[in-house]
Amino acid sequence: MKLLSPAGVTRLRERLSTPQAIGWILALIATLFFSMATPTVRWVILAGANPVSVVLARMILATSLVGGTIMVVNPGLIVPGWRGVWISLLAGVINGAGMLIYFMALTRMSASITAMLLATGPLMVLSLLALRGERLTLRHGVRVALALVGVYLL
């Protein structure tokens, strides 16, 4: 039993190869992997790993994979200039500190509670943008409402 005719397969292939479709596919794959991170890290920490070691291993792995990919795809991006280096270092320190605190929380709380608290991140971002002077619109309000419903459903 065939599900799609050859012409149907061709149309599907064409639709899935558009930039928007590829973006959706990548976002869904990223969501899948991100969803697996918290339970996996919780399991590793409960097995006896130190949260600092887990963060260090994760950062080294991520840096190696992203850096290696950039070296293969577009090596010119590796030399950002001193301003780019300092901004990257600052962003890395902030992100690393956030990951370390999150992983340390996993030693003391269940993965479901920490994941729920992490889900409030977009609300924090919107609050910080509002404090910085960004004008809040009705669309922002709808997003906040949807985020709160999502956190409630967790």
Side-chain angles (χ1 to χ4, degrees):
M1 179 177 149
K2 282 185 140 179
L3 293 177
L4 289 175
S5 66
V9 170
T10 303
R11 281 194 307 274
L12 181 62
R13 196 174 283 149
E14 287 172 1
R15 286 184 182 158
L16 292 178
S17 63
T18 65
Q20 185 176 12
I22 292 171
W24 274 99
I25 292 166
L26 291 174
L28 291 172
I29 292 169
T31 301
L32 174 69
F33 284 119
F34 188 72
S35 299
M36 292 187 307
T38 297
T40 303
V41 169
R42 172 86 171 150
W43 175 73
V44 168
I45 288 173
L46 290 178
N50 183 332
V52 176
S53 301
V54 176
V55 169
L56 184 61
R58 184 173 177 180
M59 295 296 261
I60 290 171
L61 179 64
T63 302
S64 301
L65 290 173
V66 171
T69 302
I70 291 172
M71 288 298 287
V72 170
V73 174
N74 190 353
L77 293 176
I78 293 292
V79 186
W82 284 109
R83 184 172 186 270
V85 168
W86 287 112
I87 290 171
S88 296
L89 284 173
L90 177 63
V93 166
I94 291 170
N95 187 33
M99 262 196 266
L100 180 60
I101 292 167
Y102 182 69
F103 288 2
M104 290 173 74
L106 283 172
T107 65
R108 294 170 174 81
M109 298 171 66
S110 71
S112 60
I113 296 295
T114 53
M116 186 177 69
L117 291 173
L118 185 65
T120 63
L123 300 174
M124 301 296 178
V125 170
L126 186 61
S127 300
L128 291 173
L129 289 174
L131 287 174
R132 200 185 79 186
E134 185 167 318
R135 194 172 75 86
L136 298 180
T137 64
L138 178 62
R139 186 178 288 182
H140 287 104
V142 170
R143 290 175 182 159
V144 167
L146 288 172
L148 289 172
V149 168
V151 169
Y152 174 76
L153 292 174
L154 281 174

